[in-house]
Amino acid sequence: YLFMAALCLCCFAQASSNSYGRRISVRFCSSGMTLDNINREAVDRIIRVDHAGEYGANRIYAGQMAVLGRTSVGPVIQKMWDQEKDHLKKFSELMVAFRVRPTILMPFWNVVGFALGAGTALLGKEGAMACTVAVEESIAHHYNNQIRTLMEKEPEKYEELLQVIRKFRDEELEHHDIGLEHDAELAPAYTVLKSIIQAGCRVAIYLSERL
């Protein structure tokens, strides 16, 4: 009876997910990445902090769009935001699949992320793009660290999670390059602004992994 209940639950979850989610779920199962044979502590930290990071990125772009949405750079920001929405959706699915709790700091990142996006956008297009460059560079560096960590822990078990992280890392780097192409370096006190934002990102990553 327990086996039949588990089988029904698996079928229901698969049928109710979207096509991309189904492909990821099947591949996770087929590769042997299950709740029983993975390093739960490592995976919990990765999924929790990545979900928080993508949530924060969404709030940053929301703040930027609130200020610059009707300007010429609005469509550029919207396109990057749409990709971040996909990233957040995938990590939300992984949190459910692997029973990972979100960070308790989500309400804080909600406010801080929007304020950062809107505040830098008030400096103009260049300020918003400087924020994008700083944040996306930090996220890409963070994803690279996670890739190295998983590669040291029987990478064949985590290949599908590695694929997700690599794909999102590459898209974050695209956003970074878009920011540079749209005059990020012309923002007021660019170097100082970038350093401050990236210091904040490091603190956010540290806290979201642990809380």
Side-chain angles (χ1 to χ4, degrees):
Y1 289 104
L2 289 175
F3 172 77
M4 292 299 296
L7 181 62
C8 290
L9 181 60
C10 182
C11 292
F12 174 79
Q14 182 174 346
S16 63
S17 64
N18 59 34
S19 59
Y20 179 69
R22 287 199 299 271
R23 290 197 298 273
I24 291 292
S25 297
V26 170
R27 289 202 301 269
F28 276 150
C29 294
S30 65
S31 69
M33 184 175 171
T34 67
L35 292 173
D36 297 325
N37 70 355
I38 61 173
N39 184 325
R40 283 303 306 273
E41 181 180 358
V43 171
D44 281 5
R45 285 164 67 112
I46 286 172
I47 294 177
R48 179 181 304 111
V49 70
D50 290 353
H51 174 265
E54 298 296 351
Y55 180 79
N58 270 267
R59 296 304 295 153
I60 289 170
Y61 283 118
Q64 291 181 352
M65 284 297 291
V67 177
L68 298 173
R70 296 181 180 274
T71 68
S72 60
V73 78
V76 177
I77 296 173
Q78 183 65 58
K79 183 177 179 180
M80 294 189 288
W81 188 13
D82 289 341
Q83 284 187 312
E84 298 295 349
K85 290 176 182 178
D86 291 338
H87 296 181
L88 178 59
K89 181 174 183 292
K90 175 47 58 183
F91 278 115
S92 295
E93 292 170 357
L94 292 179
M95 290 187 76
V96 174
F98 289 94
R99 304 173 188 172
V100 178
R101 66 165 180 82
T103 174
I104 63 174
L105 298 172
M106 291 290 283
F108 184 68
W109 301 146
N110 176 35
V111 175
V112 171
F114 188 91
L116 177 60
T120 53
L122 288 172
L123 298 174
K125 176 192 75 172
E126 297 81 5
M129 291 300 166
C131 177
T132 294
V133 168
V135 171
E136 302 293 22
E137 187 176 286
S138 296
I139 294 175
H141 177 73
H142 170 66
Y143 279 155
N144 280 333
N145 287 339
Q146 290 184 338
I147 290 168
R148 282 191 290 270
T149 297
L150 292 176
M151 290 296 291
E152 295 169 356
K153 297 178 181 291
E154 300 181 273
E156 65 280 359
K157 285 186 178 181
Y158 305 100
E159 181 55 34
E160 288 71 29
L161 181 57
L162 283 165
Q163 288 177 11
V164 171
I165 295 174
R166 287 186 184 117
K167 178 179 185 292
F168 291 173
R169 184 269 318 272
D170 291 345
E171 290 176 353
E172 308 296 2
L173 288 173
E174 290 177 8
H175 299 172
H176 169 273
D177 294 344
I178 289 170
L180 291 176
E181 291 167 4
H182 286 80
D183 301 326
E185 294 173 306
L186 298 180
Y190 169 74
T191 302
V192 175
L193 179 62
K194 181 182 176 184
S195 297
I196 292 173
I197 293 173
Q198 291 188 327
C201 288
R202 288 192 293 271
V203 172
I205 289 169
Y206 179 86
L207 294 176
S208 295
E209 282 181 333
R210 293 162 175 78
L211 300 179

